[in-house]
Amino acid sequence: MTSYLDCADRAVGGRRTIEIIDQTLRDGPQSWWGMRMTKSIGLPIAGQLDRTGFHTIDLVGSSIFEVLVRHCKEDPWDQLISLSKAMPNTTVRGGTRSNGIVTFGLTADSVMDLWVERLCAHGIGSFWIYDGLFNIDKIGRLVKVAQSHGAQALPCILFADSPFHTDEYYAERTRELVALGADGIELEDAAGLLTPERARSLITAIKREAGDLPVEAHFHSNNALSPLNYLEAVLAGADRVHTASRPLAAGVSLPSTENTIANLRYAGFDVDIDDARLAPVAEHLVNVAGLEDIPIGQPAEFSLFQYRHQLPGGMAGTFKAQLRDRGMEERFEEVLDEMSLIRRELGYPVMATPFSQLVGTQAVLNVVTGQRYSVIPDEVLLYVNGFYGQPVAPIDGNVLDTIMDSPKAKTYQDWEPPQPELSELRKKFGNDISDDELILRLLVPGHDIDVMRARPQRTIDYDLTSREVSNIKKLISTSVGAYLHIESGAFELTLHGDH
């Protein structure tokens, strides 16, 4: 059995310094809080994160914009500007699909380019760009757009567990991405499917093709193996790993910064991080979670079940809720079996946006209707017609015939994805609309934006809020009388109201 203590001599290049990409403000809350990281939560810890010594701090993705507007009633541009300005010493990162923003469908190239440009204008200095089917032309265009505005661009390889997603397959994709002039390569395991052996062989294959370019490991902890996989990754040559503060780490999220740093140092690697700044960040997040009654990260146990459905993050909970709404929660296992079958039939799409939603939605429809492929979402029609790119494996012929025989499929026979110019899109909202507002209006329904703008922007000072205040909030929300008096130490509050 391999010993990981004092094992830096096994590492490619001997003793090295491993850099940390912080995900406390982006993937951590995306995994545990449904992306509900408000400015009031993030801003108090931005300065600590900025001075910790992270190589990069990941900050934003397009779906976060929609969530902030719709659910938090907060202007996402204001949050981005505030947080990026609060972290002047560290490069902040944004993420994007190569061919879509927010939507599971397709977004025009002109809008994709403007999205990257506006993120750069507001402080984003690094991008991870992903595409489950590796549309090299679209990835390459965005790489050039980001770099032309002074930002680095790192294409992201999404790991999938299938007979076709071999180390050789990923090595070939790495060669193609390197040829684009990328600034590095990121390997993401969103569903926590990697084993230590596969992490070692895959990073070795990717690093061999990446050459001097940095390789990053971004492994989720769904199956409890990612801390060990990080050690194997850096031993095989990975230069950076992605982590989150402990309250937003583990489980469906990433390994904790605290534990990862300790593991790397025990294994003989150097990590230039100011450890003293980690505890204040964690304490703030624990306080926020308690006050807002939202979860903190919990470690997962290893489960073979994860390899059956390969769902990333919280999608299993989403599908359970959909079935519960239809009184069919007991058929959840049937949905997972159907997903596994659909994934094989559709040529093993990687289970990440938009394909995880595409496969999952089709599975729910098949189970609910009782007739497979009797109802076919538009995204499945886009996929089988090649508009997302070419699948890694052939689509099952019988299934393809069934889909293409549907009445709606015929409308895609001569269809081409629209590629409007920005000038055309501006006409819908008025030619004087700013670039930021145009992006927001294209991402989020206008009604949600209007509701957000009509609500006064609130600032919550969590550092001055105690657990007693949280309990008072609960008392106020559950009180049925017209009078409420609370005393706690030096604190006293009396509320009057009409019945």
Side-chain angles (χ1 to χ4, degrees):
M1 181 176 179
T2 299
S3 173
Y4 289 100
L5 288 175
D6 300 319
C7 62
D9 57 336
R10 280 183 52 207
V12 175
R15 188 179 184 93
R16 295 182 291 129
T17 297
I18 303 302
E19 296 173 318
I20 307 295
I21 309 296
D22 181 68
Q23 292 285 352
T24 302
L25 297 176
R26 209 276 301 171
D27 209 344
Q30 178 170 321
S31 297
W32 280 111
W33 293 351
M35 306 184 196
R36 290 163 171 80
M37 170 66 79
T38 63
K39 185 172 74 171
S40 293
I41 297 174
L43 203 53
I45 57 176
Q48 292 282 8
L49 295 171
D50 184 45
R51 294 187 290 274
T52 300
F54 296 116
H55 179 274
T56 308
I57 296 175
D58 201 355
L59 189 56
V60 69
S62 63
S63 295
I64 294 171
F65 267 49
E66 182 181 31
V67 170
L68 287 175
V69 171
R70 179 169 292 177
H71 299 287
C72 302
K73 305 297 186 288
E74 186 167 294
D75 186 337
W77 286 119
D78 175 61
Q79 181 187 116
L80 171 61
I81 293 167
S82 299
L83 288 173
S84 62
K85 285 184 176 179
M87 298 184 288
N89 302 305
T90 310
T91 300
V92 290
R93 178 176 290 183
T96 185
R97 226 173 86 206
S98 77
N99 54 5
I101 314 176
V102 174
T103 176
F104 298 141
L106 300 169
T107 300
D109 293 346
S110 60
V111 178
M112 296 300 307
D113 293 351
L114 182 63
W115 165 243
V116 171
E117 291 172 13
R118 296 314 299 161
L119 290 179
C120 290
H122 293 311
I124 296 298
S126 174
F127 284 86
W128 62 284
I129 304 168
Y130 72 98
D131 187 321
L133 294 180
F134 293 97
N135 289 279
I136 296 299
D137 57 336
K138 291 187 178 294
I139 297 172
R141 194 192 72 255
L142 289 186
V143 166
K144 290 181 174 59
V145 172
Q147 292 173 339
S148 70
H149 288 82
Q152 291 197 333
L154 289 83
C156 179
I157 292 173
L158 299 174
F159 176 71
D161 184 30
S162 86
F164 296 88
H165 290 89
T166 63
D167 289 356
E168 292 75 21
Y169 169 83
Y170 284 121
E172 291 175 8
R173 303 291 81 75
T174 302
R175 281 197 296 273
E176 294 172 344
L177 297 174
V178 169
L180 298 176
D183 296 297
I185 300 293
E186 177 184 331
L187 172 63
E188 176 169 342
D189 179 16
L193 299 171
L194 281 169
T195 63
E197 294 78 13
R198 186 68 194 279
R200 184 189 315 138
S201 67
L202 184 52
I203 288 289
T204 299
I206 291 173
K207 188 63 180 176
R208 186 184 302 122
E209 300 300 331
D212 293 333
L213 290 180
V215 171
E216 300 180 359
H218 179 116
F219 301 164
H220 282 247
S221 302
N222 311 50
N223 222 11
L225 291 174
S226 55
L228 191 55
N229 291 341
Y230 271 0
L231 286 175
E232 288 294 349
V234 297
L235 288 168
D239 304 279
R240 303 166 187 160
V241 295
H242 292 232
T243 66
S245 179
R246 181 167 277 133
L248 288 174
V252 293
S253 183
L254 298 141
S256 73
T257 305
E258 296 87 341
N259 189 58
T260 300
I261 290 173
N263 285 344
L264 290 171
R265 287 173 177 162
Y266 280 131
F269 294 94
D270 293 325
V271 184
D272 294 334
I273 289 291
D274 184 354
D275 299 54
R277 299 194 180 277
L278 302 178
V281 172
E283 290 168 4
H284 171 76
L285 294 172
V286 169
N287 186 47
V288 168
L291 293 168
E292 297 291 348
D293 195 24
I294 49 182
I296 60 173
Q298 298 294 324
E301 294 184 295
F302 178 81
S303 173
L304 286 175
F305 187 59
Q306 186 70 22
Y307 295 90
R308 177 179 171 191
H309 59 71
Q310 302 194 23
L311 283 176
M315 280 192 65
T318 300
F319 290 138
K320 281 185 178 179
Q322 290 176 348
L323 292 172
R324 189 184 306 117
D325 292 342
R326 295 172 172 82
M328 301 172 65
E329 188 176 8
E330 75 282 355
R331 301 185 70 178
F332 179 59
E333 297 262 339
E334 189 178 345
V335 170
L336 295 181
D337 286 336
E338 183 66 16
M339 284 181 61
S340 179
L341 178 57
I342 290 171
R343 185 166 174 261
R344 290 198 300 271
E345 292 172 339
L346 295 185
Y348 292 99
V350 60
M351 293 300 281
T353 302
F355 307 123
S356 51
Q357 292 84 0
L358 178 154
V359 171
T361 302
Q362 186 67 68
V364 171
L365 289 170
N366 287 1
V367 170
V368 169
T369 63
Q371 185 176 353
R372 304 188 75 235
Y373 298 105
S374 61
V375 179
I376 305 167
D378 286 345
E379 290 77 14
V380 174
L381 295 172
L382 290 173
Y383 175 82
V384 299
N385 278 281
F387 292 117
Y388 287 112
Q390 292 305 309
V392 65
I395 298 175
D396 180 276
N398 293 329
V399 169
L400 183 59
D401 289 343
T402 299
I403 293 174
M404 298 306 290
D405 284 342
S406 66
K408 199 169 187 179
K410 294 177 173 53
T411 64
Y412 285 93
Q413 288 179 350
D414 300 316
W415 183 79
E416 289 293 334
Q419 292 288 355
E421 296 297 327
L422 293 177
S423 57
E424 298 176 54
L425 296 171
R426 288 184 187 282
K427 293 178 182 178
K428 180 179 178 180
F429 306 105
N431 289 326
D432 59 343
I433 189 173
S434 70
D435 288 339
D436 288 355
E437 187 68 11
L438 177 62
I439 286 287
L440 200 59
R441 294 280 167 179
L442 292 171
L443 294 185
V444 185
H447 171 74
D448 293 325
I449 298 173
D450 295 338
V451 170
M452 178 268 291
R453 292 260 165 77
R455 178 176 172 177
Q457 295 298 294
R458 300 183 306 154
T459 299
I460 301 174
D461 191 341
Y462 288 101
D463 289 336
L464 297 179
T465 306
S466 68
R467 193 167 298 277
E468 288 178 339
V469 175
S470 177
N471 292 331
I472 290 168
K473 287 169 58 181
K474 292 178 182 178
L475 283 172
I476 293 173
S477 65
T478 58
S479 176
V480 295
Y483 173 83
L484 180 64
H485 180 77
I486 300 168
E487 290 186 27
S488 177
F491 180 87
E492 183 175 334
L493 174 69
T494 302
L495 297 175
H496 298 270
D498 298 328
H499 285 287

